[in-house]
Each structure stands twice: as structure tokens, then as C-alpha cells.
Amino acid sequence: MSLNVGDTAPSFELADTELKMRTLDEFKGGKIVLSFIVAASSPVCEVELCTFRDSWKEISDMGAKVIAISNDGPFANKAFAEKHNFNFPLLADYTSKTIKDYGVLMPDLLHIKDYNAAKRSVFIINEDGKIGYKWVSEDPLKEPNYEEIKDFLK
């Protein structure tokens, strides 16, 4: 299933780095920058999430929140988040359910059978719960256009 701009964002319930279950609904009240990453601690994911971390004040001042999701478990995510002092939740979709719900599953990462990950992607969910912006890359080494994301939030 592929989601498009204008579609209602699928809800989720995923574990954060403290093993607390978090839902999409609890982040409502402004725009949500939902970033799906390929793998915790991988070099490009590190750059991407550190860029969001370093842009946090600017993004927050625009009334938006950042949430990152990977299919790594909460323990790998916790080590990754602590190493880089992320100031937003990093959620574990270790069953890939939410990744599939958003249509961004990348099966057989690096040609390893059944090693599934999320395609590097960013969705911005508007206040009404609908997707306002969508960027999905087939190339796990390609970063999102951060300025385009900020321009959309303005």
C-alpha cells in the first residue's frame, strides 16, 4: 500500500528507547515530521537524525515535532539515541508493521534475504492528521532535502 499526500496518516503504537509505548495521537497538536530510517547507527541515518537534532529549535519554533522510526529494537535505538543526544523520540518498529502501513518497506536490505528495513523517508503529518508532505527514497544512501522540509513547515 502506498500513501499519498492527502491520505490520513496511519496510527501506530511503538516502543520508545525507554520501553514506553507511544502512539501517533499523543504527538498531535501541530505538524509532525515522521522520519523513517534504514538502521540505527548507520552512517547516513546518523547524519540525518543529527541534522534533525540540530534543527530541533527551528522546527519546534514552527510548531512541529520530529519522530524517528526504525525497525531496530528499542535497545539498539537507545544506544544510538544516547550516543547522539537526540531530543526527539526514536521508536522501534521491530515487526515492520508501521513501516508496511506507510508503504516504505525495503525487503532484503543489502541483498540479505528477509533482512527488512524502512526506506529512508519523511512524511509530514498536518494538524488534521493527513499527510501534507511525502518523500521516499529507493536509495538508502540518499538524504532528504532538509530545506524543502523546513519550507513546507513554514
Side-chain angles (χ1 to χ4, degrees), residues 4-152:
N4 294 303
V5 169
D7 289 345
T8 299
S11 61
F12 56 76
E13 184 176 37
L14 300 170
D16 68 11
T17 57
E18 300 303 319
L19 305 180
K20 179 181 175 195
M21 298 307 287
R22 310 292 296 268
T23 65
L24 179 62
D25 285 346
E26 75 181 84
F27 297 102
K28 289 187 175 172
K31 286 186 170 65
I32 299 167
V33 178
L34 191 59
S35 171
F36 288 89
I37 63 168
V38 180
S41 298
S42 65
V44 180
C45 295
E46 194 171 298
V47 169
E48 178 180 348
L49 294 191
C50 286
T51 300
F52 282 129
R53 177 201 62 204
D54 296 344
S55 301
W56 175 251
K57 179 164 176 20
E58 185 179 0
I59 290 169
S60 185
D61 287 348
M62 290 186 262
K65 300 172 183 110
V66 173
I67 304 168
I69 296 176
S70 82
N71 72 333
D72 296 291
F75 307 107
N77 282 345
K78 182 173 183 157
F80 185 42
E82 285 179 349
K83 177 181 178 186
H84 297 290
N85 299 308
F86 295 144
N87 45 9
F88 50 83
L90 177 53
L91 306 180
D93 186 16
Y94 49 87
T95 66
S96 299
K97 181 190 179 317
T98 301
I99 293 166
K100 290 174 189 170
D101 288 348
Y102 278 79
V104 294
L105 182 71
M106 180 174 25
D108 305 328
L109 179 65
L110 303 172
H111 310 291
I112 301 172
K113 184 169 174 32
D114 298 325
Y115 178 31
N116 298 329
K119 293 178 184 176
R120 187 171 315 285
S121 48
V122 175
F123 293 85
I124 298 177
I125 303 168
N126 291 326
E127 295 85 341
D128 63 2
K130 297 201 182 295
I131 296 168
Y133 172 93
K134 172 186 173 182
W135 175 84
V136 179
S137 178
E138 297 296 326
D139 179 355
L141 301 179
K142 184 175 181 184
E143 291 178 60
N145 183 328
Y146 304 108
E147 289 308 311
E148 185 176 270
I149 291 166
K150 289 182 205 172
D151 287 345
F152 181 85

